[in-house]
Amino acid sequence: MRGEILGAERRRFWHDDDKLEIVMSVCVDGASVTQVAQRHEIRRQQIYAWRHDLKKKGLWSPEGGALFYPMDIPVQVTVPAPQLPVPEAPPPTAIELRLRGDRYLHFDSTLDPAALTRLIRAVDAA
């Protein structure tokens, strides 16, 4: 049996800043945890463990790692108010009102009711 010695086992030390950068690179440009782990030559589980540790230290939060993607949404400068249909007023109608004492009052249907009441009282009092 023949054995080959390739060298000393390498054990790397990662600073919190480096861990945070790696954890934050997940989902950037669609990168998965597996792809990020392969890129940095670590195991996927290591990224999950770093997330947990950084979260406990208060250095990373899932909300803080939110990503915003650009979207093409047309923006309206002014939002027009909805136009409610204006009901058409009926054309004015001529009205003839017969009062006591053979008096007649002629007025338009658009006359304000309060003004009509005052007018009737004035004619009645005369």
Side-chain angles (χ1 to χ4, degrees):
M1 182 176 352
R2 190 172 152 196
E4 191 175 323
I5 299 176
L6 298 174
E9 177 185 343
R10 87 176 168 160
R11 190 174 186 112
R12 294 182 283 181
F13 176 78
W14 298 90
H15 293 280
D16 285 342
D17 295 336
D18 299 326
K19 293 177 186 178
L20 185 60
E21 185 179 329
I22 293 171
V23 167
M24 296 289 286
S25 67
V26 173
C27 291
V28 172
D29 295 329
S32 67
V33 173
T34 302
Q35 290 169 334
V36 172
Q38 289 172 349
R39 188 181 317 142
H40 296 283
E41 297 178 353
I42 57 175
R43 295 184 175 266
R44 289 180 35 227
Q45 187 55 36
Q46 189 65 54
I47 293 176
Y48 293 117
W50 286 348
R51 275 186 186 173
H52 181 73
D53 291 340
L54 292 169
K55 191 174 176 182
K56 279 171 74 175
K57 292 179 182 179
L59 298 173
W60 181 80
S61 70
E63 294 82 25
L67 298 174
F68 295 93
Y69 294 100
M71 297 182 71
D72 292 328
I73 299 175
V75 177
Q76 290 182 335
V77 177
T78 58
V79 178
Q83 296 291 329
L84 298 176
V86 178
E88 284 188 33
T93 307
I95 299 176
E96 180 180 278
L97 182 61
R98 185 175 174 181
L99 301 173
R100 286 181 271 169
D102 288 329
R103 294 184 201 178
Y104 294 93
L105 188 59
H106 297 272
F107 58 91
D108 199 78
S109 64
T110 59
L111 183 63
D112 181 47
L116 178 60
T117 303
R118 288 192 305 268
L119 184 59
I120 293 171
R121 286 185 182 152
V123 169
D124 230 6

